[in-house]
Amino acid sequence: MKRTTLFWLLLMGLGSLGMAVSSCRQCGNVDCPPTNASELFRIVDAAGKDLVFGPGKIYDKSQVRFYNLQGSDTIFLTSQILPPSGSSTDSAFLVAFSASRNTSYVPYGNGDADTLNLDLLTLSSKCCGTSTTLNGIKFNGVSLSRVNGTYQLRK
């Protein structure tokens, strides 16, 4: 009787171990989506002329900041200046948005400021955990689309 019970316990233990190893192998081959809530932005006029970089600039690039609010605290977002794809003369702001805040603000240093409403898509899975991507952006309530890989904030 003891041998039979021991045999079944050993068999169940090995079966559980096999299932655990098998589930690890399933996740080992999964290509998980990265958390990516970063986008390129240009600030342009109605004709598409750059208002921050180049000869027609009216805003000082050091004064343009992207931020969001957390209670009464202002949280400045990480941004850097990069040339957009296919351009050697213009530049754009690469902004890393917070994956937990849907509203961000852009002050231009002259009292002018705009609002960005972010449509963040958060995905959760057993193998990948949680990842967040930017699904869409509204600029002062109007949906934006990319132009040559960048979002254009038209002033």
Side-chain angles (χ1 to χ4, degrees):
M1 180 78 171
K2 287 183 182 181
R3 284 188 179 183
T4 306
T5 304
L6 185 59
F7 171 75
W8 284 110
L9 287 174
L10 185 60
L11 190 60
M12 288 173 47
L14 288 173
S16 296
L17 180 63
M19 286 179 12
V21 169
S22 172
S23 69
C24 287
R25 259 190 252 135
Q26 281 179 327
C27 290
N29 295 328
V30 173
D31 211 6
C32 295
T35 291
N36 185 13
S38 297
E39 289 295 341
L40 281 170
F41 292 90
R42 290 183 62 223
I43 301 164
V44 299
D45 66 11
K49 187 176 88 175
D50 200 311
L51 298 176
V52 179
F53 305 99
K57 67 182 178 182
I58 62 169
Y59 299 116
D60 179 351
K61 66 183 174 204
S62 67
Q63 296 294 311
V64 177
R65 305 284 306 262
F66 292 77
Y67 72 92
N68 50 34
L69 299 175
Q70 185 171 346
S72 61
D73 295 328
T74 300
I75 310 298
F76 287 99
L77 303 174
T78 301
S79 67
Q80 58 184 339
I81 298 169
L82 298 172
S85 176
S87 174
S88 61
T89 57
D90 289 331
S91 291
F93 293 95
L94 176 65
V95 181
F97 291 100
S98 168
S100 63
R101 300 278 172 232
N102 290 33
T103 303
S104 294
Y105 304 94
V106 187
Y108 300 97
N110 63 352
D112 188 12
D114 290 309
T115 303
L116 297 172
N117 298 103
L118 312 174
D119 179 11
L120 297 168
L121 179 63
T122 301
L123 305 170
S124 295
S125 73
K126 174 184 155 192
C127 293
C128 297
T130 302
S131 65
T132 303
T133 58
L134 199 52
N135 201 36
I137 300 175
K138 287 186 178 179
F139 175 62
N140 295 329
V142 177
S143 291
L144 291 178
S145 57
R146 286 186 188 89
V147 176
N148 296 327
T150 67
Y151 284 104
Q152 295 190 354
L153 308 182
R154 291 194 181 269
K155 302 295 293 165

